[in-house]
Amino acid sequence: MELLIKNGIIYDPINGVNGEKMDIAIRDGKIVENVKESKALKIDASGMTVMPGGVDIHCHIAGSEVNTGRLLRPEDHFRDFERKTPNTRSGVGHSVPSTFTTGYRYAKMGYTTIMNPSMPPLEAKHTHEELNDTPMVDKATYPLLGDWWFVLEYLKDGKIEECARYVAWMITTTKGYAIKIVNPGGLEAWGSGRNVSSIDDQVPYFGITPREILRGLCKVNKLLNLPHTIHVHTNNLGKPGNYLTALDTMKCVEDLASEGKPAIHITHCQFCAFKGSDWRTVKSGAEEIAKYVNNHPHVTLDIGQVIFTDTTTMTADGPFQYSLYGLTGNKWVNHDVETETSSGIVPFRYRRKSYVHAIQWSTGLELALLVKDPWKIFMTTDHPNGGPFIYYPRIIAWFMSKKAREATLKKINPRAESRSLLPSTDRELSFYEIAIMTRAGQAKALGLEGKGHLGVGADADVAIYAINPETIDPSKKYKTVRKAFENAAYTIKGGKIVAKKGEILKHVEGATMWLDVQVSEPIRITEEMKRRFREYWTVEYENYPVTENYLGVSHPITIKADV
Ligand SMILES: [Zn+2]
């Protein structure tokens, strides 16, 4: 099967292509040098924007907490549902959409790769079952390892190499992709109703600090040669004054970075960029965070932008969700995953007229605009925590147009408006920078070689948007920009046209990418280890691993570790 995309205006930042008119040739699911025009299926992309398929580095779309969110929020689904079509299944939205709807909606926006960031290893099978059921996109998932007892025990004893072997085993066994750390030490403390409040607090019973967990797993990450850095949700998330904790977290691995390479990814940074001492005095810490990130090469961020809408918050940060429940009085689910992690879910509505919510909205955009290098900061809403992913086009419009920002600024809480840093920044991102922050930069940070670019050999995942950058001024016509990114003119996945103008044309499965981390001395599953499983977990060892045939479409990536 050959496909030729003709005369599009190409944005392919990894290959340095900035708005050039070019043809893209595709054969057997890959980008190739050229194809025979007479034989290939042709798409006329004249006057349209062509980018690699979108990549989402952090979105909660599958697994136990998402599914619990669906059960908790029947009202979420009433007003937002999808009818069955000849090509698609029916399903529901809005903030916790069903699996099929998730895949279809991403595909309509031109997204082709998405990363599920928070998998308790104990619930890996459930997560993979739902990922198998999420069509149209390639996907991967990050096991939560920052509070796993094995990690805490080995790091406490300074046994980094031993810890690395266990982490390698865990990632491969649960078919994961990266080391996820959430509120390090705080989740273990939460098991006994406590929390930690700085990176130097002691974790109860383990005699270890969040700093030691972060540094230990950063070293482990390096020893294992993992393609992505440690992926960190900081301590004190969602609390006034926490920008200092975010800075401490970035600083604590500064010396572990090598050759200007990233060593840590701080996820949904907006939620840990608050200045102030309480909710009345809270304000943006974006300037300080951006200043640090602009001066240090070892950090990447994603934003966690807030959207003014009704949504569902869900994280492994059990103690944070508990305080959110206390703030809102809303319904709440809490879950403790034995020896590994926790989680909580609370419905939430971000209101324009709320001082705090408006500050959060502004802070996310400030981060995006004040961090100078788009390769360091990526667009997310931490779906669904800041808002559902379907609102990405709205964020793109805010990025590209000061006028769009001003239109929203006028409607927000006046005290928040007067404190916002947005009126003082004139920066408007270009299509090239948007392509970095929504696909190229994310793919690069994830170490996904075949994704996020349109060079020869790349996966033929392409998004074509009906907008002509040569004739439109996105600064003025931001509504047109938003519309164009809402429904891609064409979404091409693995060389097949899967969506066109908001309609799904073809159902494809999409692969689950996972790391087969090869260490020189893999840990042996001894009777002693099985005993620990029996003692610590309610699941016996034999039921724990996710075998490869459990995955719908398996895409293993072999990694040779240095240990
Ligand atoms: Zn998240």
Side-chain angles (χ1 to χ4, degrees):
M1 160 93 183
E2 296 184 345
L3 189 62
L4 186 63
I5 303 165
K6 285 187 63 88
N7 294 320
I9 299 155
I10 316 285
Y11 292 90
D12 179 10
I14 287 179
N15 294 302
V17 181
N18 183 2
E20 285 170 43
K21 212 170 272 177
M22 284 164 63
D23 294 350
I24 301 284
I26 292 167
R27 184 184 303 119
D28 300 331
K30 299 279 179 194
I31 310 272
V32 293
E33 202 77 60
N34 49 46
V35 290
K36 222 184 196 144
E37 197 171 335
S38 56
K39 276 169 79 186
L41 179 67
K42 286 178 279 296
I43 293 177
D44 179 11
S46 310
M48 295 201 219
T49 296
V50 179
M51 293 183 181
V55 179
D56 196 337
I57 197 167
H58 190 111
C59 52
H60 299 258
I61 51 135
S64 171
E65 64 176 354
V66 180
N67 208 38
T68 306
R70 292 183 188 116
L71 294 171
L72 183 71
R73 304 282 333 259
E75 73 281 13
D76 190 55
H77 312 319
F78 295 151
R79 61 196 167 129
D80 182 13
F81 53 86
E82 297 277 352
R83 287 178 201 283
K84 186 178 181 304
T85 75
N87 302 319
T88 60
R89 297 199 187 197
S90 59
V92 293
H94 160 258
S95 62
V96 265
S98 44
T99 50
F100 290 93
T101 300
T102 300
Y104 301 144
R105 288 185 174 181
Y106 265 109
K108 285 179 192 178
M109 293 195 308
Y111 273 70
T112 48
T113 304
I114 60 181
M115 310 304 266
N116 186 62
S118 134
M119 172 173 74
L122 190 73
E123 289 160 356
K125 281 189 175 169
H126 182 182
T127 307
H128 284 292
E129 282 162 11
E130 291 200 356
L131 288 178
N132 289 345
D133 259 359
T134 307
M136 317 305 286
V137 286
D138 291 334
K139 51 244 159 179
T141 179
Y142 314 149
L144 288 150
L145 298 175
D147 286 69
W148 180 31
W149 282 9
F150 284 58
V151 163
L152 299 182
E153 284 174 4
Y154 287 112
L155 291 184
K156 177 189 70 183
D157 295 337
K159 294 181 177 165
I160 299 288
E161 297 199 349
E162 197 66 5
C163 183
R165 279 192 275 273
Y166 275 92
V167 167
W169 173 79
M170 186 57 112
I171 290 178
T172 303
T173 295
T174 59
K175 304 291 173 278
Y177 189 83
I179 297 175
K180 176 72 184 297
I181 305 171
V182 171
N183 185 5
L187 307 189
E188 173 49 37
W190 180 238
S192 47
R194 288 188 272 173
N195 198 356
V196 292
S197 60
S198 88
I199 72 165
D200 293 309
D201 271 16
Q202 288 285 324
V203 181
Y205 308 116
F206 280 91
I208 189 171
T209 62
R211 180 191 297 273
E212 289 165 323
I213 299 172
L214 288 160
R215 286 182 61 80
L217 284 175
C218 188
K219 289 177 193 166
V220 162
N221 204 88
K222 242 176 133 179
L223 276 177
L224 296 179
N225 291 321
L226 302 186
H228 184 35
T229 60
I230 50 171
H231 192 101
V232 180
H233 158 139
T234 60
N235 300 111
N236 286 329
L237 186 115
K239 288 186 193 156
N242 65 7
Y243 81 104
L244 289 171
T245 314
L247 289 173
D248 284 345
T249 305
M250 295 187 252
K251 280 179 197 161
C252 94
V253 295
E254 211 177 287
D255 62 312
L256 300 178
S258 54
E259 304 121 38
K261 278 192 198 153
I264 187 167
H265 179 82
I266 303 287
T267 189
H268 39 69
C269 189
Q270 173 274 129
F271 289 102
C272 58
F274 302 164
K275 265 163 99 171
S277 49
D278 56 32
W279 290 117
R280 222 175 35 81
T281 57
V282 75
K283 57 180 184 168
S284 167
E287 226 170 352
E288 287 78 359
I289 302 253
K291 190 173 168 209
Y292 182 83
V293 173
N294 286 337
N295 287 309
H296 292 85
H298 72 289
V299 188
T300 56
L301 312 173
D302 69 84
I303 298 165
Q305 177 61 38
V306 153
I307 306 288
F308 296 115
T309 183
D310 186 50
T311 194
T312 310
T313 65
M314 54 179 66
T315 80
D317 198 339
F320 162 68
Q321 292 288 346
Y322 175 68
S323 37
L324 202 58
Y325 151 73
L327 271 176
T328 60
N330 226 326
K331 52 189 174 179
W332 167 59
V333 174
N334 174 67
H335 182 37
D336 180 54
V337 184
E338 50 199 45
T339 86
E340 293 180 352
T341 181
S342 68
S343 75
I345 305 161
V346 181
F348 204 82
R349 184 171 192 92
Y350 293 102
R351 297 173 194 277
R352 284 190 190 89
K353 294 300 177 198
S354 152
Y355 170 70
V356 175
H357 304 171
I359 285 284
Q360 285 187 273
W361 169 80
S362 180
T363 303
L365 295 177
E366 290 163 19
L367 284 166
L369 298 168
L370 294 175
V371 171
K372 289 182 193 146
D373 181 357
W375 294 97
K376 284 183 172 177
I377 185 157
F378 313 126
M379 185 186 76
T380 65
T381 58
D382 185 18
H383 163 82
N385 286 292
F389 66 82
I390 48 173
Y391 294 110
Y392 285 172
R394 208 168 278 228
I395 305 175
I396 293 176
W398 284 323
F399 285 173
M400 297 188 86
S401 163
K402 185 166 185 178
K403 215 170 142 192
R405 301 195 286 270
E406 280 167 352
T408 308
L409 267 168
K410 266 192 259 165
K411 296 184 208 154
I412 66 170
N413 175 288
R415 196 157 68 91
E417 186 194 354
S418 70
R419 291 192 167 185
S420 171
L421 306 175
L422 292 176
S424 60
T425 173
D426 292 331
R427 187 169 171 204
E428 294 179 322
L429 301 183
S430 64
F431 282 98
Y432 189 70
E433 288 171 310
I434 295 297
I436 297 170
M437 290 168 77
T438 58
R439 48 262 287 159
Q442 313 217 17
K444 189 173 169 228
L446 288 162
L448 290 169
E449 283 172 8
K451 307 284 184 198
H453 74 103
L454 298 172
V456 170
D459 293 347
D461 297 349
V462 190
I464 305 176
Y465 298 105
I467 188 160
N468 187 341
E470 289 170 352
T471 57
I472 196 167
D473 178 359
S475 170
K476 295 199 183 92
K477 297 276 184 193
Y478 61 87
K479 284 185 183 158
T480 313
V481 171
R482 195 167 83 197
K483 250 202 152 69
F485 280 100
E486 271 166 8
N487 288 313
Y490 295 89
T491 304
I492 295 153
K493 175 86 198 72
K496 298 186 180 95
I497 302 172
V498 293
K500 188 176 171 182
K501 292 183 192 163
E503 199 190 326
I504 299 296
L505 299 185
K506 194 173 177 62
H507 177 107
V508 295
E509 292 299 332
T512 300
M513 302 173 289
W514 59 278
L515 302 183
D516 179 9
V517 187
Q518 299 187 349
V519 295
S520 59
E521 271 178 70
I523 56 156
R524 287 201 317 275
I525 305 303
T526 56
E527 277 311 307
E528 160 65 11
M529 187 156 168
K530 289 187 181 175
R531 183 191 62 76
R532 288 167 85 181
F533 264 90
R534 276 194 297 273
E535 250 175 40
Y536 293 174
W537 278 281
T538 48
V539 173
E540 295 232 10
Y541 168 75
E542 283 72 11
N543 294 316
Y544 198 82
V546 180
T547 49
E548 196 174 350
N549 62 11
Y550 213 81
L551 309 181
V553 182
S554 169
H555 179 171
I557 297 167
T558 304
I559 303 293
K560 289 250 181 288
D562 286 338
V563 64

